[in-house]
Amino acid sequence: MNNFNRVFLFLAVMLSMVSMAKTQTPDTMSIAHSLIDSIVPPTPIQEDTITATHSQIVNDSIVKKAAEKEKRFSSLQNTTDKMEIRPWTPNPKYALISAIIPGGGQIYNRKYWKLPIVYGAFTACYYAITWNTRTFNEYRDAYRDFLSDDPITNNSWLAFAPYGAKAEDYAKYSQLKVTLKRGYDAFLRYRDMSYIITAGVYLLSILDAYVDAELYTFDISPDLTMRLTPDVQWQNITGKTVPAIGLNCNFTF
């Protein structure tokens, strides 16, 4: 195909397209325009509408949280009302275990006013043990040195000799041996008694804590009254019934 034929063919196609466009009916054009007019552009959302919607959402959320909080509070209050509030009472077992430490049982029983008594008693026992042990050791050493082979060198006994005594004159103080022996025996007994009393105070503090916890709920009524009333009883004496007048004493707890 040469160039002339190509140009002719192109012009023919163009003419046919123009003729088809001119032959379109008015109905077709009106339908197209109606379709275009029916397309409504979207309405823009106003800023006030967005703010109002957000505020409504926030208010709804606050109201919902307040309602849930009030519901939980009401449930907790109902549970508290149903619970039985019982006063605190000590357990004797725990009081006994706590009393292993001096004063621990009294602290567990909340009897704090007894602590000065307990610790005062232990302080006195400690002082007695310390004093008697130290004095016993002094008498023991003096008595041992006085009876040793060399009382002149081992002269701790001079602390119990008269003022101004010399170790070389120990033979003049034969009576001192009796004094030292008496002091040795006495303070040995005092020392041992101090240990026994300390053990007794310790056991007494344990017993006090246990009994206090055991009798914590014991009802002691303050209404303790005594009433005296005359009483007449009939007694059979030597086959005869005679009245016996007496006094009836009633205690009310």
Side-chain angles (χ1 to χ4, degrees):
M1 184 180 290
N2 54 18
N3 293 332
F4 177 79
N5 293 330
R6 292 178 180 175
V7 173
F8 178 79
L9 181 60
F10 176 75
L11 291 175
V13 172
M14 292 296 295
L15 289 174
S16 62
M17 291 178 64
V18 171
S19 62
M20 290 177 63
K22 289 182 178 181
T23 58
Q24 289 181 351
T25 61
D27 296 336
T28 305
M29 296 300 293
S30 61
I31 292 172
H33 285 292
S34 62
L35 291 175
I36 294 172
D37 294 338
S38 63
I39 300 175
V40 180
T43 303
I45 301 175
Q46 299 296 328
E47 184 177 355
D48 296 338
T49 305
I50 296 175
T51 304
T53 304
H54 181 267
S55 300
Q56 184 65 27
I57 294 174
V58 172
N59 292 333
D60 293 342
S61 178
I62 293 174
V63 171
K64 184 178 180 181
K65 289 182 179 179
E68 292 178 354
K69 188 175 182 180
E70 185 178 359
K71 184 178 180 181
R72 288 196 301 267
F73 178 77
S74 300
S75 177
L76 180 61
Q77 188 176 7
N78 293 333
T79 304
T80 306
D81 294 339
K82 292 179 181 178
M83 292 176 60
E84 182 181 358
I85 300 176
R86 297 181 180 179
W88 179 85
T89 54
N91 189 328
K93 180 180 179 181
Y94 295 154
L96 188 63
I97 296 175
S98 301
I100 295 176
I101 301 175
Q106 286 71 26
I107 295 175
Y108 172 77
N109 292 334
R110 301 181 182 180
K111 297 299 180 64
Y112 304 110
W113 62 272
K114 293 183 179 181
L115 291 179
I117 300 175
V118 174
Y119 289 124
F122 276 106
T123 302
C125 291
Y126 174 77
Y127 177 78
I129 291 175
T130 304
W131 169 263
N132 292 324
T133 301
R134 183 175 64 251
T135 308
F136 165 74
N137 291 336
E138 292 175 355
Y139 273 99
R140 181 195 61 189
D141 296 340
Y143 183 69
R144 181 188 59 196
D145 292 344
F146 190 81
L147 296 179
S148 65
D149 297 334
D150 190 6
I152 298 176
T153 302
N154 303 323
N155 56 8
S156 61
W157 55 270
L158 286 175
F160 300 92
Y163 179 76
K166 296 180 180 180
E168 293 81 4
D169 301 331
Y170 71 92
K172 299 179 181 180
Y173 308 109
S174 58
Q175 188 65 26
L176 184 61
K177 181 176 68 173
V178 179
T179 303
L180 295 176
K181 182 64 168 62
R182 187 182 298 114
Y184 171 86
D185 295 336
F187 282 95
L188 175 62
R189 184 171 61 255
Y190 296 158
R191 185 200 64 179
D192 295 342
M193 189 177 298
S194 299
Y195 282 112
I196 295 173
I197 292 175
T198 302
V201 170
Y202 178 68
L203 294 177
L204 186 62
S205 66
I206 296 177
L207 182 63
D208 172 75
Y210 178 78
V211 173
D212 197 1
E214 190 71 35
L215 301 179
Y216 188 85
T217 57
F218 185 75
D219 186 15
I220 301 177
S221 176
D223 186 15
L224 179 62
T225 58
M226 181 180 67
R227 185 177 62 178
L228 298 176
T229 57
D231 186 25
V232 178
Q233 296 181 358
W234 295 90
Q235 296 181 356
N236 188 359
I237 300 176
T238 64
K240 297 181 179 180
T241 303
V242 295
I245 301 175
L247 192 64
N248 188 10
C249 181
N250 294 326
F251 287 94
T252 302
F253 294 91

